[in-house]
Amino acid sequence: MGSILSKKLKIIALSLFTATMILVILYFILLNFFIYEEVNKVRLCTKAIFSVKYSEMKDTYTPFSSIIKIYKKNTNIDFKLFSLFKNPELKNNGFFKKIKNKKEIYKINSNYITYYKPIVMKNECLKCHGYEKHKIFSCGGIKSSNKIRGFKKGDVVGYIEAKAPFKRSFMKFNLTFLISFFLLFLALIATLCGFYKFTNNLKRDITLFLKFFDEKVSKGIYEKLNITMSFIEFQKLKVSINKAVNSIKYYKNEMIKRYYFSPVTNLPNRIKLMEDMKKTDKNALAILNINKFREVNDYFSQEMGNLIIQEVAKRLKKLINNKIYHINIDEFAVLLDEYECFENCLYIKKIIKELEKPYIVNKNEINLFFRAGIGSKKEKDVFTVADIAVEYAKRKKVKCLCYCEIKDLAQSFEKNQKTLNILEKAMREDRIIPYFQPIVDNKTQKIVKYESLIRMIDENGKVYSPGEFLDVAKSVNIYKNLTLIVFEKTLNLFKERKEEVSLNLSLEDFEDDNIKEKIYKLIKNFPEPERITIELLENEDIASDSYILSYLQKLKNYGVKIFIDDFGSGYSNFSYLFKFQIDGLKIDGSLIKNILKDKKSQMIVQTMVEFAKKGNMVTVAEYVENREIFEFIKKLGVDYSQGYYFSAPKPLI
């Protein structure tokens, strides 16, 4: 895009070029018309001579020369006659031959227009110049004894030359055209000057608008444009822009107010706090929370709740010199200097003491209770750590806590929160999957069963083992959902396989009737339920719950096997074995890991194997890590082995 000046120059240059071309073309068109008219004058005079001659030949005989003299005298045209009658040699003349083939010829030079027209025999001419020979003929009463010519109608017997002066007329034409050209050029210059002035004014007005927007509006300066414009249209546009600027200014102030300030208390809000924390030299932040304010709101109504909050804000303004922020309906924040934790807490406790004095709102006495948390900029996120400190103050039921006092707990909480976020996203995106570890028959060393083990995959493809996320899942009551996911995916996969599969159930799974019913339906619809083994964690609560034992019996009725997982891990509750028919024992891995060196572990495992054989139960050794362990437990009579000696848990192909 070019500037207005460059475009203006292009337009002027193009206009001048176009005007010049048009005038040149017009000149040649008019010149042709002028020449045509001049030639036509000569043509008409010449035709008139011929008309007079042919007309007189009917009755009388007037020589061509006499008629020519008359016309020559009355016009400024010089006529000459060239005929075969007087000059028979003319027929051999090349120019005569050229005229015979044309009706007329004209030539133009700087001084004259010369016009040539052939003399053609007509009926009137034949009586004097026809084929009758040796007669004395009378033409117009005059007797002639000339020799008869012997011509016929249509023969060319000569030509007439008409020579008219051209120079003066041509100069007059050129002068007229030059005057017209000069006048037109002056008009064009006047038009271009007007156009130049118009574009200058246009450029000025547009420049003023652009300058106004660049230097004012774009920088957030909303002032009126007070300069007078050159054009009425721009003057109207200026009025409209000023109205728009006023509206923008008003709505900008309103938006800033709404964006940065609480509509209830008119105090700066959380967004303003975040921006101010980046600029301020205050190094600590206190968050004050009104304990159970929702109940106050619900009891008195939201409108009453707003009035109460306004009273709290007024009291805070009187108590605190520092900048106060209303960051949530029931929370305020105060920026503090970096003092010792004890000093800041002491200061905030004094504030809380005053804030907890009764409020009288609409004749109602309201008592509020506060908790406060203090964070320091020494931590990576002062607002977050102050918020965590508030939560722990609520849990511990104290008035004020500094983050430094609960830092270790908070970091553990933060880590669990991150794990929970990964877990919830993995569940949404179907990244909870089963891995499988083979269980090998010790006699044949062939795989007879797989244990299904839960794994979580994060969005970067990292695999998490159960110990990294199951405790977090249990703390937020989503553990049972994970169990159901593993059951569904595992049983769907093993419908098409021949091996047995082992799955884990814990006490948490039995607490949800909905989960138990879904697991029951999955097993019921499995084509061969006898290929399914349920592993129960050793726990006295399961053994003492008749309802759980009844549920397990329903599964056994379909052929499902029941194993006790981690048997010998500590509790060793034999009531399982006496109250319910168990199909197998999985010996705890802590006993197997040390079995080569620990005599006590050897004795316990040997006792378990003997006891299992007497009770018609099979035994499975976990954590079989190498060949030495495998050979040792095989000698002890353990039926099956599971561990990294055979394979790590992994997806089945």
Side-chain angles (χ1 to χ4, degrees):
M1 293 178 67
S3 66
I4 290 177
L5 179 62
S6 64
K7 288 187 176 180
K8 191 190 303 182
L9 291 173
K10 285 180 182 177
I11 291 170
I12 291 171
L14 183 62
S15 300
L16 289 172
F17 175 76
T18 305
T20 303
M21 293 302 297
I22 290 171
L23 286 171
V24 169
I25 293 168
L26 183 63
Y27 173 78
F28 283 105
I29 291 172
L30 292 175
L31 180 62
N32 282 331
F33 275 117
F34 169 71
I35 291 170
Y36 176 79
E37 288 298 320
E38 292 297 312
V39 171
N40 204 38
K41 287 178 186 177
V42 180
R43 182 186 291 115
L44 289 173
C45 285
T46 306
K47 280 186 178 180
I49 290 172
F50 275 93
S51 296
V52 171
K53 175 63 180 172
Y54 288 140
S55 174
E56 287 188 351
M57 286 176 69
K58 293 179 182 179
D59 303 312
T60 60
Y61 175 74
T62 302
F64 248 125
S65 57
S66 300
I67 298 170
I68 286 170
K69 284 178 183 179
I70 295 168
Y71 274 89
K72 189 174 181 180
K73 185 178 180 180
N74 292 291
T75 65
N76 60 351
I77 303 172
D78 184 19
F79 294 98
K80 287 183 181 180
L81 190 67
F82 300 87
S83 69
L84 294 175
F85 303 141
K86 293 183 179 181
N87 190 7
E89 297 83 18
L90 187 65
K91 67 170 64 178
N92 297 321
N93 186 283
F95 186 72
F96 177 75
K97 291 178 181 179
K98 186 177 180 181
I99 284 180
K100 283 180 68 176
N101 297 324
K102 299 194 177 193
K103 292 183 179 179
E104 62 180 13
I105 295 174
Y106 66 86
K107 297 178 181 178
I108 299 172
N109 58 34
S110 59
N111 294 316
Y112 296 98
I113 293 175
T114 307
Y115 179 79
Y116 301 93
K117 185 171 177 61
I119 302 171
V120 181
M121 293 293 290
K122 290 191 175 182
N123 288 331
E124 293 85 354
C125 306
L126 294 176
K127 62 183 180 180
C128 296
H129 305 290
Y131 283 100
E132 296 181 33
K133 298 180 180 179
H134 306 292
K135 282 187 176 182
I136 300 298
F137 60 91
S138 175
C139 212
I142 302 173
K143 291 184 179 180
S144 174
S145 60
N146 291 339
K147 189 177 180 180
I148 301 302
R149 307 298 180 189
F151 291 103
K152 63 180 185 295
K153 182 181 178 181
D155 284 348
V156 176
V157 295
Y159 62 89
I160 190 168
E161 177 190 90
K163 194 172 185 179
F166 180 68
K167 184 176 182 179
R168 188 173 180 181
S169 300
F170 183 60
M171 289 176 66
K172 186 178 180 181
F173 167 80
N174 283 337
L175 180 62
T176 303
F177 186 84
L178 283 172
I179 293 170
S180 301
F181 172 80
F182 180 71
L183 293 174
L184 286 171
F185 186 76
L186 287 178
L188 177 62
I189 294 297
T191 303
L192 290 175
C193 287
F195 172 75
Y196 187 84
K197 185 177 180 181
F198 168 80
T199 52
N200 270 353
N201 290 335
L202 182 67
K203 179 185 176 183
R204 171 188 170 274
D205 285 359
I206 292 172
T207 302
L208 288 173
F209 280 124
L210 292 175
K211 188 176 179 181
F212 174 71
F213 281 107
D214 287 343
E215 296 181 1
K216 301 290 184 180
V217 177
S218 64
K219 295 177 181 177
I221 303 170
Y222 298 104
E223 297 177 355
K224 282 188 176 181
L225 181 61
N226 291 320
I227 302 167
T228 302
M229 296 293 157
S230 304
F231 299 93
I232 295 172
E233 292 79 6
F234 283 153
Q235 192 68 23
K236 291 179 180 178
L237 178 59
K238 183 189 76 173
V239 173
S240 298
I241 287 173
N242 284 338
K243 287 180 181 178
V245 165
N246 286 336
S247 297
I248 292 169
K249 188 175 180 180
Y250 170 77
Y251 284 111
K252 177 192 174 186
N253 292 334
E254 284 296 308
M255 286 180 69
I256 289 172
K257 188 176 177 182
R258 292 183 185 183
Y259 188 71
Y260 285 115
F261 293 87
S262 163
V264 178
T265 61
N266 287 326
L267 287 173
N269 60 14
R270 178 172 176 167
I271 298 170
K272 190 71 169 70
L273 170 63
M274 294 301 181
E275 290 192 7
D276 287 351
M277 281 196 298
K278 295 176 184 177
K279 304 171 187 176
T280 186
D281 55 355
K282 303 288 185 182
N283 293 315
L285 175 71
I287 296 178
L288 292 88
N289 178 270
I290 304 173
N291 200 33
K292 297 184 179 179
F293 183 73
R294 183 184 293 274
E295 295 176 10
V296 177
N297 233 5
D298 293 342
Y299 181 78
F300 287 104
S301 79
Q302 186 175 349
E303 185 179 356
M304 183 70 170
N306 288 343
L307 292 174
I308 295 168
I309 289 296
Q310 289 168 7
E311 291 300 316
V312 173
K314 289 177 186 177
R315 196 173 292 185
L316 269 171
K317 288 177 184 178
K318 292 177 182 178
L319 294 169
I320 299 177
N321 294 325
N322 303 66
K323 200 166 185 179
I324 306 161
Y325 300 84
H326 186 193
I327 60 174
N328 207 337
I329 189 60
D330 60 350
E331 280 189 334
F332 295 86
V334 182
L335 286 170
L336 301 171
D337 292 317
E338 183 66 42
Y339 294 117
E340 290 296 327
C341 179
F342 172 77
E343 292 180 43
N344 277 335
C345 248
L346 190 62
Y347 172 67
I348 293 298
K349 283 177 182 178
K350 289 178 181 178
I351 299 299
I352 289 174
K353 186 177 180 181
E354 294 298 318
L355 290 176
E356 289 184 344
K357 289 180 179 179
Y359 295 83
I360 306 298
V361 181
N362 289 348
K363 299 180 181 180
N364 294 297
E365 184 176 308
I366 312 296
N367 290 291
L368 300 177
F369 300 95
F370 289 77
R371 298 284 184 267
I374 299 176
S376 170
K377 277 191 176 179
K378 293 177 182 177
E379 308 299 335
K380 58 182 178 181
D381 186 343
V382 62
F383 185 89
T384 300
V385 297
D387 196 44
I388 292 170
V390 172
E391 289 301 314
Y392 275 90
K394 289 179 184 178
R395 293 182 191 183
K396 293 189 174 185
K397 298 181 180 179
V398 296
K399 292 297 180 184
C400 182
L401 265 181
C402 279
Y403 180 75
C404 58
E405 298 177 74
I406 45 109
K407 188 172 183 178
D408 293 338
L409 288 172
Q411 286 176 345
S412 175
F413 172 80
E414 185 179 357
K415 181 181 177 183
N416 289 344
Q417 193 62 40
K418 287 181 180 178
T419 302
L420 179 60
N421 292 338
I422 296 170
L423 176 58
E424 287 178 338
K425 193 170 184 181
M427 290 177 70
R428 287 196 307 273
E429 297 176 2
D430 194 28
R431 287 188 275 103
I432 301 298
I433 63 170
Y435 270 33
F436 299 93
Q437 189 171 34
I439 298 173
V440 175
D441 187 321
N442 287 345
K443 293 179 181 178
T444 63
Q445 294 191 32
K446 290 183 178 179
I447 297 171
V448 293
K449 186 188 294 189
Y450 287 94
E451 181 179 5
S452 179
L453 301 164
I454 190 169
R455 292 292 186 270
M456 176 177 72
I457 315 294
D458 69 11
E459 57 190 351
N460 298 317
K462 180 182 175 182
V463 181
Y464 289 76
S465 61
E468 295 177 273
F469 62 90
L470 282 189
D471 287 340
V472 175
K474 289 176 182 178
S475 69
V476 293
N477 202 30
I478 60 173
Y479 174 81
K480 54 186 177 291
N481 301 89
L482 300 179
T483 300
L484 187 59
I485 291 170
V486 172
F487 261 78
E488 286 179 341
K489 290 188 175 183
T490 299
L491 295 183
N492 284 334
L493 178 64
F494 273 80
K495 281 180 181 179
E496 308 299 326
R497 300 179 70 93
K498 297 299 180 184
E499 304 93 345
E500 293 186 21
V501 65
S502 184
L503 300 113
N504 295 285
L505 283 178
S506 67
L507 181 62
E508 287 85 352
D509 300 314
F510 289 103
E511 290 173 349
D512 191 309
D513 290 337
N514 184 44
I515 294 295
K516 285 194 298 183
E517 186 60 29
K518 286 181 178 179
I519 289 173
Y520 175 74
K521 286 182 179 178
L522 286 171
I523 292 172
K524 182 180 177 182
N525 295 326
F526 191 74
E528 299 173 277
E530 61 273 12
R531 288 197 287 119
I532 299 172
T533 297
I534 299 296
E535 296 184 11
L536 302 172
L537 291 174
E538 188 178 11
N539 188 301
E540 63 177 339
D541 294 326
I542 293 178
S544 61
D545 193 325
S546 60
Y547 182 70
I548 294 175
L549 295 177
S550 174
Y551 176 77
L552 292 174
Q553 187 59 53
K554 280 174 65 177
L555 299 183
K556 279 187 68 69
N557 292 340
Y558 277 99
V560 175
K561 301 178 183 67
I562 307 296
F563 276 44
I564 298 174
D565 195 13
D566 296 336
F567 191 75
S569 59
Y571 186 72
S572 300
N573 184 3
F574 283 87
S575 59
Y576 272 120
L577 312 177
F578 300 134
K579 291 185 178 181
F580 192 78
Q581 186 180 351
I582 299 298
D583 297 289
L585 303 175
K586 290 193 77 173
I587 302 169
D588 184 63
S590 62
L591 297 171
I592 303 300
K593 280 181 181 179
N594 302 316
I595 200 164
L596 295 176
K597 299 177 181 179
D598 187 359
K599 298 291 183 181
K600 187 177 179 181
S601 295
Q602 294 173 10
M603 181 183 68
I604 293 171
V605 171
Q606 188 172 12
T607 303
M608 287 180 180
V609 171
E610 291 172 358
F611 178 79
K613 290 186 182 300
K614 290 178 181 178
N616 237 356
M617 294 177 283
V618 298
T619 51
V620 181
E622 295 183 291
Y623 287 87
V624 178
E625 305 295 328
N626 50 56
R627 184 170 185 81
E628 289 77 11
I629 293 175
F630 171 67
E631 294 295 343
F632 191 88
I633 61 166
K634 185 178 176 183
K635 289 178 182 178
L636 292 179
V638 177
D639 299 301
Y640 301 99
S641 292
Q642 178 180 350
Y644 278 72
Y645 173 60
F646 300 102
S647 173
K650 59 185 179 181
L652 284 181
I653 300 173

